Amino acid sequence: MKLKNILSLLALLSLFVLVFSIFSNETKITKKITKPDQCMSCHADMSDIDHAHPKEIFGCASCHGGNKWATNKKDAHRDMVLNPARLEHASIFCIKCHKNIIKRISNSMMNSQSGILNVLKYQWKESKELNSTIGIADIRGDTNISLAQSHFRKLCAACHINQDEKIFKNQKIARGGGCSDCHRVSKTKGNLHAKFTTRIPTKNCLKCHNRSNRIGLSYEGVFESAGYGTPYKHGDFTHKMSDGRRFYYNLPDDIHHKSANMSCIDCHSEKGVMGDGKKHYHMEEAEDIKCKDCHEPHFKKANTLALTLADTNEKVPEPKIIAYTKKFNSPLYNIQKDGNKTDFYRKIDGKKFNLPKMSDKPYHTLAIHKRLDCSACHSLWAPSCYGCHEVYFENGKQFDWVKRKDTKGQWQELRSFLRFENPSLGIGYNKKIMPFAPGCQVIGTIFKDKKVEKFHSMAMAGWDPHTTQKKSRTCVNCHFNPSSLGLGRGNLDIKDGNITFTPIYDSTKSGMPFSYPIDAFVSAKGKQFQSTSRKEARSFNRVELQKIVGAYKCIICHDSYSDKIYKDFNKSKKLFYSGTTTCLK
Amino acid sequence: MLKIAIFISILFGSLLANDCVSCHPKDAKNCQHSLHYTLKKAINITRVAWGIKDSNVTLQTLPLPKTDIKKPSDLVDDFLRRKCLKCHLGNRSSGEKGMKRGKSCLACHTPHQKKGKCQRGKISINKCLSCHNKEFVGGDYLGLFPKDYDKSYRAPLTKDGRYPPQKYGIDYHHLSPDIHFKKGMTCVDCHDKNDMQGIKKVSCTDCHKNLSKKNHTAYHKKLACSTCHSAWNNNSYELSVFRDDTSDYKKWKNLTLQEDGYLTNFLRIALKSKKKIPPKMPDWITHKFKDGIWYSGYRYKRWENFNLANSKDGRIMIIRPLFQYRISYRDKNGKMILDDVNKINGKKIEVWLPYSPHTISKRAKSCESCHNNPLIINPKKTGYEVLDMRLPNNIINGSKLTKKQIKKMTSKRYKKIRAKMLFGSD
Amino acid sequence: MARTVSFITLGLFFVSLLSGFVILFAYHPSSAFASVQKIEFLIPFGLFFRKLHYFSSEAFTFLLLLHILLELSKRKIYLSAASWNYSVLGFALVIVLMFSGFVLKADLSANAAAQVAFSLIKDTPLLKNLLPLFQDSSVFYYKFFIWHILFLPLILGYAIYKHTRALHVEAIYFSIAIGLSLVISMVFSMPKDIILSSKVKHLSSPWFFEGAENLLLKSFSPLSINLILITPFVLLVAYFYMKQKNIAKILLFSWLLAYSYISVFLS
């Protein structure tokens, strides 16, 4: 009976504890909970990540995970995420609010690198399919690794936004980290949380866009030099690039950089950069902005996205009437209509500039040049790296950026020579005439045990080199310049109505496995020597070369666009050949 | 002076030893006035460029280098002796493969495989190229263009996976060679004894007498033949030179090939060695090792660019920079005595020289190569160092094209003639 | 021996019942995980009672199994047919209670276990009609909560009453039960709750459920798994009526061995 009492006593006691704890301590308990999560009881002095995610509302756990109710470090930090911006974490945390963006960026080319991978496989003749969306995620588990894939893994795959930052030995050139690859502007130090922003500095873009077609460098007027490191200063090399291995020199920078110090994001809209959610084959399909979107803008009322973007930007004034891109109809909230003027606001600091419209002078309106892309005339130079000699040691070891560890096989890159002047022209991916440069001229040597194998894949690629100048190339610079025409360097002339061309470079004697000059895209007779990376892209053909060079005969004297003979060039030609003009008399 | 006297006697001693002079006293005497013997031109151009006024010395009278260095002119003799004058009649080799020669007469007149025997008959191209193999005229005749220095330019690999064999310690691009070379002619077919001994300079028209009137028009009579007929030319822009008396070699590991066989070998050993190797480089005249290493590097090289100038004898010729110097000197204690000096009294250390590229092709350059060449008809500075160094400055043995000349190149008359030419051929 | 075990088992039932009663008021099905975490970290003695509830229940289940084994080893059955059947029902209810308790902790593994159970039920004919009894469209844990705190304990209580014919325990055994639970709670620590946002490769289900989950991974059909799960209870009922008790014993024992094997080695 006594024990029975104890039993009832215990029962009562526990009930009492319950009542005591829950009802009388309700206020105390709620007080004990720091807002918005328990993390703040230790990390109250952590600074905000940006103004859109104040810690008073978001706390830590909504992004970093962990147990936000826990009152001790061990429990609180269990299963916590250090960098929730990495896409696999972002798809748990960030996605709660940024649902679309996470999906879009995950499918974007900066994440999948499908453009590089598939063009590489196509050019190395491992795949006939140029249009494919196979990306890093799809090859991660591959065990049978082809040559192109090995090359991709060891040399290209370092740059994708979801790369692991920690694996870079040189932390100065670390890339990746998911959202933070672009959006982070400072690293966490003590109680200063890494700062995030939508005002992405060019510096962040340049972490990756400094090789291959090098648009990031070219835009700032930086050209990778021949590696001399001259001039020497203080007993050391100068003009070192941030990676410490390459050198550069300064060439004319892009007019947008020169005149307004514009950043990449001033043109490249969020949709163009982070994608529209679809998996694209090539860069140009994902790209949103066109020169005309700004220089021949069509305005509409600002939509909610524009207002949101301007609000997160903080510097650009609230948009009312703004320009939209033609392709994806995405708002360019920093191109604002102000009466008859068009104002451009620099996204980094909100500084206002007057945006010049495309003039309607004959050079922009004449039909004879309607096939030209803006870049064909307005790009002054393009980084052209001739001869990409790849050496592969099958028994070597090199870091695999997909597996993130050393694996078998080692690549080494050698080259022939560099040029930047008079980039070749050709028919680009948009079927318009645009600058071309080697991309890539691979002459490979493979060391397999004791055997040596050779292969080559010569290709030219067309792109906007981002070296836009206000003043265009001159008429002669295209119409009678062998380098611009894609013939290479040498002596161009017309004999008996035919184009003649004597090249300077002797590929055979220089040891190349082909006979045409290495800088020749096409022969004077219109035979294309090198392949391209798009189905639509090609060199000029025989007829086009004849036409372009043929027009030079008139350009000698009629060297201005406003010359009336160009208003209807075909008619003028007829008149000339009928002998009724005063020409040459 | 005593040392120089001794040297001259040694040189003549070798001449005597070979017993050439006893039979060819006249030739030996003429030889003493030839550039091969005095190297006057190369020496004095460099000395003037580096700030010595009215320099007129020869290989034989070149003073010993100064030890107290304050300005570029104090360093020039050291630079000449250790970097440039590797090739002279008294020096047999500077370490590169294919550059071994005999001394004095035998430098040219011996096939090097037959020791001690005189060369009878023609002197082979290889003999000439054992010296004339760099940026200067010589290699270009064969279509050779020295590659950029960095290791990564040693491509393409050969079929068995090796770096392509070097000639004269240099890797070359092969460009289109001279038409005369293609037809089998060697250097001495044109450059005969009289030319070599400075008695009578050879010229194209000595052979090519009946030129077609149609192509060789009156308005181009002032042009040198090579101005139109050279296919390409060597433009090596801005040569940075750096004498370093410290043993800081590591950073040169990708730049061991500097067209200097001694330096290449030295760096190879120094970079491998665990011991600290002191920086030493020989004086190629006295053959004595001295402190310091001369490093060099261009800014960039081009074969397709060219610029024109009036030469001293009134012809319009292609000119090239030889060179645009930037000079550095670091002493033993690591102190930068000269740090990237490229100007003396506000004037650039830069010499441009009219020359005849030996890259002759039958087909002349198109009219546009000059008449639409922005470097010639629009020689305006752009404000970008790298682009502006293509415009000539400080031309020796010549002068810039006058404004009138430039204007003429784009005159209505030119345009009409050219248009007619193109349409006429239609 | 068998008698001691049975009384301690009953004692543990009461400990579990009382400790559950304490924490039930702090539990909110609508913010289930948060309230569990609040019980653990913020409410005074919350963690203590949660642990007590957890360990007493686990111990109760283990001792119940032991109790069944011990009783089966006896030759004679002292129960009537009705009370035997009630006993088997009670045993089944304990398993369901344990499972619903596991689900109610509302962490990632609980969620996963619930989803697995749902799909097991959903894809089984007849059984799928019972789904509305557990599934709630607005508050996921609401019906689990109701079952766990109200109906299941009530029915179990009734079943135990039918089994023991009196629903009381001698104080000495109750004290042993409390002592045992307390000691276990002090010595051992509970498995940690897994935050919903975390990425864990393997989520553990309740131990008695591991076998079912492994079978599911080996792509057994839900119906067959359900049949496997029901088998021991059917065998236990059959045991009472069978003359060849040894056959039933062997069957039961081999089932136990097989299921243990599946649980441990088949993952």
Side-chain angles (χ1 to χ4, degrees), chain A residues 86-98:
Chain A
R86 295 204 48 166
L87 294 186
E88 61 267 29
H89 302 313
S91 59
I92 294 170
F93 300 108
C94 309
I95 208 165
K96 286 183 245 168
C97 304
H98 305 283

Side-chain angles (χ1 to χ4, degrees), chain A residues 26-64:
Chain A
E26 185 69 48
T27 45
K28 219 175 171 182
I29 291 163
T30 31
K31 249 190 201 169
K32 227 172 141 186
I33 304 173
T34 47
K35 288 276 178 189
D37 52 31
Q38 282 293 87
C39 318
M40 285 302 172
S41 55
C42 292
H43 299 290
D45 58 346
M46 189 51 105
S47 70
D48 274 343
I49 171 173
D50 62 12
H51 87 296
H53 302 89
K55 62 169 190 240
E56 289 78 17
I57 291 165
F58 285 82
C60 307
S62 50
C63 298
H64 285 281

Side-chain angles (χ1 to χ4, degrees), chain B residues 267-277:
Chain B
L267 282 178
R268 255 178 214 160
I269 294 163
L271 285 168
K272 260 187 211 163
S273 162
K274 275 169 197 159
K275 271 187 278 175
K276 208 175 171 189
I277 291 183

